[in-house]
Amino acid sequence: MKLIAAALLGALVSLPQAQPAYTHALAGNPADATGKGTGGYVLAGGGTDQPAAFKWMIERAGGGDIVIIRASGADAYNKWILDLGGADSVETIIFRDRSASSDPFVLERLRKAEGVFIAGGDQSRYVNFWKGTPVEDALHALVARGGPIGGTSAGLAILGEFGFGAREGGLTSKEALPNPFVKAVELDRDFLSLKHLENLMTDTHFVERDRLGRLLVFLARIQHDGWSQSPRAIAVDRQTAVLIEPSGKATVVGRNTAYFLNTTTAPAVCEPGKPLTMRGVNVYRIGTTAPATFDLPSWKGMGGLAYSLDVVNGVITSSRGELY
């Protein structure tokens, strides 16, 4: 019997330990800050993070506590952001499964945050872990009390009313334009409901990964599926961020460009197995080499470049010749 008991104990000890639902790491002052934020959004396109964007966010968080949320990766943001100066603390919560979104400690950290930033990763995990949970409520409460919120890459992709689900993996423009109903064209809606980002889709790594075609397909499908008659989009390239004031005024920082798109008519052809045809998509392009702004409430820009796009049988043409 002793031999059997020892064998059973050895087997139990050798079993892999269950992974915690989340991990947490903090840098800076562990006490709760008392600063008050003034709000705003950071829409970062991915790639190398831009210090100017995070300094802007720290300022609008009133120098308080910044919480990074993600579903993979590590806590490298903590020291990097804290070293920029001005923040009371920076902490990272890495979600491992959906149960963490109801954990009392996690929710307390979010409820005490003066600002939240969503790191890059896999947006399908973000929606699966956070949509319809107390984390979603905590993010809305943060914005309501004047806290800024931001995201980069996959973190940006979930900030608009509409988003790319990505549960079937990635999707290229070459795959989407010939067939707007290819399986990977999977859209989500209503994860977050943020002022100025309603009726809008966000996209990332835009020029770098040639995502214009797939974004036009997303906008066409949003119309076809009856979600909106005139959807809009903000698309941001890598190493670039759009900074949106509570008033809806947007500026761009970083190294590349951002694009503000709106549809003017319904797609002429948006059917399974047929190339997309959709005309009259307006684009406003803002770079970072000259001062420019974009006003989201009026959907008008100053100092940038306006042009229009048509898609006919899956081929995009531009009124300015260049697509981007």
Side-chain angles (χ1 to χ4, degrees), residues 222-246:
I222 289 169
Q223 290 178 286
H224 176 276
D225 295 352
W227 290 3
S228 171
Q229 293 182 351
S230 55
R232 296 169 169 175
I234 299 176
V236 190
D237 199 23
R238 71 189 304 272
Q239 296 182 297
T240 307
V242 175
L243 310 179
I244 303 175
E245 301 281 357

Side-chain angles (χ1 to χ4, degrees), residues 45-71:
T48 305
D49 292 297
Q50 300 303 300
F54 283 90
K55 289 179 179 179
W56 185 92
M57 184 173 184
I58 292 168
E59 179 183 343
R60 276 146 187 80
D65 302 317
I66 307 294
V67 176
I68 312 297
I69 56 175
R70 59 194 311 164

Side-chain angles (χ1 to χ4, degrees), residues 136-222:
E136 179 180 341
D137 297 334
L139 295 179
H140 284 133
L142 166 79
V143 175
R145 65 177 179 266
I149 187 171
T152 185
S153 194
L156 167 58
I158 62 171
L159 291 182
E161 179 180 348
F162 311 122
F164 173 43
R167 294 182 185 87
E168 300 293 332
L171 176 69
T172 67
S173 294
K174 290 182 178 180
E175 294 168 334
L177 284 167
N179 181 8
F181 286 78
V182 69
K183 189 176 182 181
V185 179
E186 182 186 21
L187 298 173
D188 285 312
R189 66 188 301 191
D190 297 333
F191 166 50
L192 293 177
S193 179
L194 304 178
K195 185 178 180 181
H196 304 308
L197 300 185
E198 58 273 275
N199 189 39
L200 186 147
M201 186 164 195
T202 51
D203 208 350
T204 66
H205 296 279
F206 195 55
V207 180
E208 174 196 11
R209 299 182 183 176
D210 189 24
R211 287 180 164 171
L212 175 60
R214 78 169 200 174
L215 180 57
L216 295 174
V217 167
F218 292 156
L219 294 175
R221 280 293 305 274
I222 289 169

Side-chain angles (χ1 to χ4, degrees), residues 44-130:
T48 305
D49 292 297
Q50 300 303 300
F54 283 90
K55 289 179 179 179
W56 185 92
M57 184 173 184
I58 292 168
E59 179 183 343
R60 276 146 187 80
D65 302 317
I66 307 294
V67 176
I68 312 297
I69 56 175
R70 59 194 311 164
S72 61
D75 60 4
Y77 270 119
N78 288 8
K79 184 179 185 304
W80 185 79
I81 297 176
L82 198 66
D83 286 349
L84 293 175
D88 183 64
S89 72
V90 186
E91 58 192 298
T92 296
I93 302 171
I94 305 173
F95 291 71
R96 303 299 184 188
D97 61 50
R98 187 175 171 90
S99 67
S101 297
S102 299
D103 185 273
F105 176 81
V106 169
L107 299 177
E108 178 189 33
R109 303 316 299 168
L110 289 173
R111 288 166 183 157
K112 290 183 176 180
E114 277 70 53
V116 170
F117 190 80
I118 307 171
D122 180 349
Q123 62 252 42
S124 67
R125 298 189 78 188
Y126 293 166
V127 174
N128 289 339
F129 288 177
W130 301 335

